[in-house]
Every structure is written in C-alpha cells, then in structure tokens.
Amino acid sequence: MSRLGMYPIVIGLLACSTVGADQLDIIAASKHGVLVDLDATYDFNESNIGLGYIADNGVTVGAYNNSYRHTSVYVGYTVETHAKYLNVGVVSGLVTGYTGLVSPMVMPYVLIGPSDVRLKVGYIPGAFTFMLNVEL
C-alpha cells in the first residue's frame, strides 16, 4: 500500500476516540515472516510473554519478551473504534530492546469479541502479534 493510500486509514483512526475504559493486554505470541521477507536463518522468539496497560485516556505502557529474546518496555498512546464485536485501533510510541536505546513504535491492530474479553491481533513489519485484551 502506498503512503497516499494510508491517509484515509490514519485520518479515520484519528477520528476515533481514546480507549474509553482501562484495559489489560496479556501479550502471548507472534508469527514472523508474514507479508515481509525476513532473514530465514534467524531463529525469532515467537513466545513474547508480557503485559500491557491501556488507561481510559489512551496512555499505554507495557513490557514483554521480544523476538530477539530481550526485554522490551514501551510507552505510547492508543486510539480505537468502539463497535460491539469488531474494532480497529493503533498504538504509537517508543519501545526499548531493539536497535539503539529507544525505537519508534506503531502497531495497528484488530480487536475481535465483546469488550470485556477480546482477541487482539496486531501487525508490526514482518510479524503478527497475538494478545488477549481484558477490560478492567
């Protein structure tokens, strides 16, 4: 998708409100080599155990075991839609544990299920991430 094609998506997400209720992400796993050709010789960690907290105002923090087997800590801001069973959102911010001290982070995601407990599937370049999202 070209950058021009991304503008309607970005504008749509900016029109969304913040989260609306405190949420907990139970970070579980990732699947690499999806949509992007990654180095097939590298043994990525696909068990990315961690926790994330999303405040009702959209402030987002968390930590997880990343794909390079380092601890990553992140802070950012989340916006998402508020439909009954299928929603989209994006978190953007900063994350540690990759190249350099701090790296930028943007992860669009889909939420599937009722708001109290949902499957959350995110996408970062080269990998899908899988989480359980619980409304607190």
Side-chain angles (χ1 to χ4, degrees), residues 2-103:
S2 72
R3 284 187 175 182
L4 187 58
M6 292 294 291
Y7 288 124
I9 294 169
V10 171
I11 291 169
L13 286 171
L14 289 174
C16 299
S17 62
T18 56
V19 176
D22 291 355
Q23 299 175 16
L24 180 69
D25 281 340
I26 301 167
I27 305 165
S30 60
K31 179 62 182 163
H32 293 83
V34 182
L35 304 179
V36 175
D37 188 23
L38 296 175
D39 180 1
T41 62
Y42 191 83
D43 181 29
F44 288 103
N45 172 35
E46 293 188 336
S47 177
N48 310 110
I49 305 303
L51 288 174
Y53 173 77
I54 306 148
D56 64 352
N57 64 3
V59 173
T60 305
V61 297
Y64 60 96
N65 185 21
N66 74 27
S67 300
Y68 296 101
R69 295 172 177 79
H70 300 133
T71 299
S72 284
V73 176
Y74 63 91
V75 61
Y77 187 76
T78 298
V79 295
E80 64 187 38
T81 61
H82 298 287
K84 194 166 186 171
Y85 295 106
L86 182 64
N87 291 279
V88 296
V90 65
V91 58
S92 60
L94 300 171
V95 63
T96 65
Y98 296 95
T99 58
L101 183 61
V102 177
S103 302

Side-chain angles (χ1 to χ4, degrees), residues 103-128:
S103 302
M105 169 190 74
V106 176
M107 184 186 72
Y109 59 86
V110 175
L111 292 158
I112 303 164
S115 63
D116 52 346
V117 177
R118 308 180 278 193
L119 172 65
K120 185 175 188 176
V121 180
Y123 182 75
I124 57 172
F128 282 103

